[in-house]
Amino acid sequence: MSNKRLDYINWDEYFMGVAMLAAKRSKDPSTQVGACIVSRDNKILSIGYNGFPIGCSDDEFPWEKTDTSPDHNKYLYSTHSELNAILNYRGGSLEGTKLYVTLFPCNECAKAIIQSGIKTLIYDSDKYAGSDSVVASKRMLDAAGVSYHQYQKSGRQITLDL
C-alpha cells in the first residue's frame, strides 16, 4: 500500500494557475489577463481573459492603446477578463464566490464584481495600484464588503507540456 502524494498544489495555486493559463488565450500584445471564478466548495464556475466581444474580429479591431482615435484604441472595444468570466457564467447566482485574477481589477470591473455578488478577490499583480481606476476600485470593494488580497506565490514551478 502506498501513501498519497504530499507535493500536490494547494487551492490558491490551482485557481491562480487556471487564471494564468486563461491569460495565455488573450491576443492583446501588451497585457494578458486571466480570471477564474470559484464556488465556496472549490469548484470552477467560469473563466475569462481579456479580448474583444464575440463577433468582433481581433484581426479587424485595434490593439493600439495610446492612440485616442476610436478607430485605433483597444480600450473602446476590449472586454476585461473579470467581466468576461462574469458574463461567461451560465449557472445562476455568483453570490459568495471567489475571483482569482492575474491583475487587480479596474473600477469598471469592480462594479461588476460587486453587483454579481463575488465576495473574495485574489489578485496576482497590482501594477496600477496608484492609478485613479484602482484607487476607485479599492474604495468601492471596501465599501461593498468585498475582501481582497494579493496571491502569495509559493515559488513552486509547474511545467505543462502541451
Side-chain angles (χ1 to χ4, degrees):
M1 182 174 199
S2 63
N3 294 324
K4 70 177 184 179
R5 281 183 46 231
L6 298 177
D7 62 342
Y8 57 89
I9 61 176
N10 66 39
W11 289 119
D12 279 351
E13 289 170 317
Y14 177 56
F15 298 129
M16 187 57 76
V18 169
M20 289 175 174
L21 189 59
K24 299 293 185 189
R25 283 286 309 146
S26 174
K27 296 175 185 174
D28 190 317
S30 62
T31 305
Q32 300 82 47
V33 182
C36 179
I37 301 175
V38 180
S39 70
R40 292 178 191 166
D41 60 344
N42 293 319
K43 304 287 188 287
I44 295 173
L45 300 176
S46 189
I47 299 169
Y49 56 88
N50 59 316
F52 298 128
I54 295 168
C56 297
S57 171
D58 49 41
D59 292 323
E60 296 174 17
F61 282 82
W63 289 111
E64 292 91 359
K65 64 180 189 174
T66 56
D67 193 320
T68 57
S69 163
D71 291 337
H72 297 94
N73 189 320
K74 72 176 181 177
Y75 295 118
L76 299 174
Y77 306 101
S78 63
T79 305
H80 289 178
S81 67
E82 306 92 308
L83 185 57
N84 266 329
I86 291 167
L87 295 173
N88 287 340
Y89 183 59
R90 299 287 188 255
S93 174
L94 290 173
E95 189 67 39
T97 57
K98 286 192 268 188
L99 172 68
Y100 288 80
V101 64
T102 60
L103 182 63
F104 197 92
C106 72
N107 60 305
E108 292 300 320
C109 288
K111 294 173 193 176
I113 290 164
I114 293 164
Q115 290 298 96
S116 70
I118 293 169
K119 289 297 178 194
T120 306
L121 168 67
I122 299 97
Y123 62 92
D124 184 30
S125 172
D126 195 8
K127 73 177 182 177
Y128 300 112
S131 70
D132 291 345
S133 176
V134 171
V135 169
S137 179
K138 289 178 180 178
R139 181 178 179 190
M140 287 187 287
L141 293 169
D142 290 340
V146 176
S147 66
Y148 54 89
H149 65 271
Q150 191 161 25
Y151 171 67
Q152 298 300 308
K153 294 183 181 195
S154 65
R156 181 190 317 257
Q157 292 204 346
I158 298 171
T159 302
L160 300 175
D161 294 322
L162 305 173

